[in-house]
Amino acid sequence: MGSRPSPSRGPRDPALVGQTLVVIGGSAGIGLATARLARAEGASVVLTGRDPERLRTAATEVEAISASAFDAGDPARLRRFFEELPVPVDHVLVTAGRPSYGRLLDMDAEQAREAMSGHVTLALEVARHVAGRVRPGGTLLLLGGTGARRVRAGLGTAPAVTAGLALELAPVRVNLIAAGFVDTPLSARLLGDGLDARREELRATLPIGRVVVADDVAALAVHLMTNTALTGATYDIDGGQQFVG
Ligand SMILES: NC(=O)c1ccc[n+]([C@@H]2O[C@H](COP(=O)([O-])OP(=O)(O)OC[C@H]3O[C@@H](n4cnc5c(N)ncnc54)[C@H](OP(=O)(O)O)[C@@H]3O)[C@@H](O)[C@H]2O)c1
C-alpha cells in the first residue's frame, strides 16, 4: 500500500491574538524578551520596571499599550498598578527581583530575609491581584532559579509555593520557570569582568554547547501561556547546567 504524501502545513496562526500580557519587570532581560515574543504572537503587552527611561525605550519597541515605572516591591504601588490597569488581563509574568546566592548563616538578618522570602513575597503580592483579574485559563508565571530544586546551602521553596498558588488561583494557571545561567543584563551585572569567562566555561561544559539566552526562556514562557494543560509545575531551563555544574 503506497503512503500518501501528508498535507503540507501552512503557516500557523499567532498564538496570543486578542490576549494581554502584563510583565512585572519587562524593560530588560527575560521580561523584555518575553514581551517581544508575545507581541510577535499577537498579544498586547503592558510593561513595568523601575528605571523610567529604560522602560520607555522597551515600551516603544514592543508597542506596549501601557507602561508604569515603579518598584514592584512596594505593595501599595503594586496594588494601585493592578487597580488602574486599562484592560482585562490574560497572563502575568513576574521577573522583577534578583536571585540570592550564598550560605544563609553568612548573611545578616536583612540579607537572609530577602534570600528566603524576596521572590516568594513578591509572587504572593502579585497573586493577590491576579485573583479575580486574570481570565480563567490565563496564567501567572513566576521566575526562579534551578537552585530551588534541591536542598543545599541557601533556600528555595518556590516549587511548593507555585503548586499551592495553582490550587488557590484555579482556574487561573500558575507555573514556575526555574532558570540556570541566562545571558541577560542581570548576569552581566552580577558577573562583571567575569562574564566572558563564565560564558566560555558554560559553552565548554553544558550538554547543549551554548549558553541559554533570554529568547530561550521567552519561548518557554509563551508555551506555558498557551498550553492550557500546564499548571502547578516547575519547568527547568538551564541547558543541563544542574547536572554538570
Ligand atoms: N539571568 C539569570 O541567569 C537568571 C537565573 C535564574 C533566575 N533569574 C531570575 O529571572 C528574573 C529576571 O532576570 P533577568 O536576568 O531577566 O534580569 P534583568 O536583566 O535585570 O531584568 C530584570 C527586569 O525587571 C525589572 N525589575 C527588577 N527589579 C524590579 C522591581 N523591584 N520592580 C520593578 N521592576 C523590576 C528591571 O528593570 P529596572 O531595573 O529598571 O527595575 C528589568 O526590566 C529575576 O527574578 C532573576 O532572579 C535569572
Side-chain angles (χ1 to χ4, degrees):
M1 200 167 78
S3 63
R4 279 197 221 148
S6 55
S8 64
R9 288 202 187 165
R12 64 173 179 79
D13 291 333
L16 296 171
V17 172
Q19 301 188 25
T20 300
L21 164 66
V22 173
V23 188
I24 307 292
S27 59
I30 294 165
L32 178 56
T34 305
R36 264 188 211 118
L37 184 58
R39 185 78 195 101
E41 292 288 348
S44 300
V45 296
V46 174
L47 300 186
T48 82
R50 288 165 304 183
D51 183 287
E53 194 48 50
R54 184 164 42 217
L55 182 64
R56 215 178 346 263
T57 305
T60 303
E61 186 201 324
V62 300
E63 302 166 311
I65 54 173
S66 86
S68 304
F70 65 95
D71 186 339
D74 175 346
R77 193 59 196 80
L78 190 68
R79 183 182 337 109
R80 202 166 91 224
F81 164 75
F82 275 101
E83 284 168 358
E84 292 174 352
L85 271 179
V87 284
V89 177
D90 296 278
H91 308 286
V92 178
L93 169 65
V94 186
T95 63
R98 50 175 288 167
S100 299
Y101 299 109
R103 288 164 46 83
L104 289 169
L105 292 181
D106 293 339
M107 300 174 185
D108 66 27
E110 186 46 44
Q111 288 169 327
R113 197 172 298 119
E114 177 58 28
M116 292 168 70
S117 64
H119 268 97
V120 172
T121 306
L122 177 58
L124 292 178
E125 282 303 320
V126 173
R128 275 183 236 291
H129 304 297
V130 161
R133 212 171 252 114
V134 169
R135 72 159 174 82
T139 53
L140 169 60
L141 274 178
L142 308 173
L143 256 149
T146 46
R149 281 267 186 211
R150 331 176 246 158
V151 175
R152 60 175 190 183
L155 263 193
T157 52
V161 171
T162 303
L165 283 177
L167 294 175
E168 292 194 26
L169 288 179
V172 173
R173 297 176 295 113
V174 185
N175 289 294
L176 172 68
I177 293 173
F181 173 95
V182 186
D183 206 338
T184 66
L186 173 68
S187 300
R189 278 197 309 280
L190 290 175
L191 287 165
D193 291 343
L195 178 63
D196 280 335
R198 183 67 175 136
R199 285 176 175 145
E200 268 316 306
E201 182 191 5
L202 289 166
R203 278 186 204 112
T205 56
L206 289 185
I208 61 170
R210 66 175 181 86
V211 295
V212 174
V213 296
D215 286 349
D216 296 315
V217 184
L220 174 58
V222 167
H223 179 76
L224 293 172
M225 290 175 215
T226 54
N227 186 334
T228 55
L230 307 178
T231 195
T234 298
Y235 296 86
D236 294 1
I237 178 161
D238 72 346
Q241 188 181 342
Q242 64 192 299
F243 306 115
V244 296

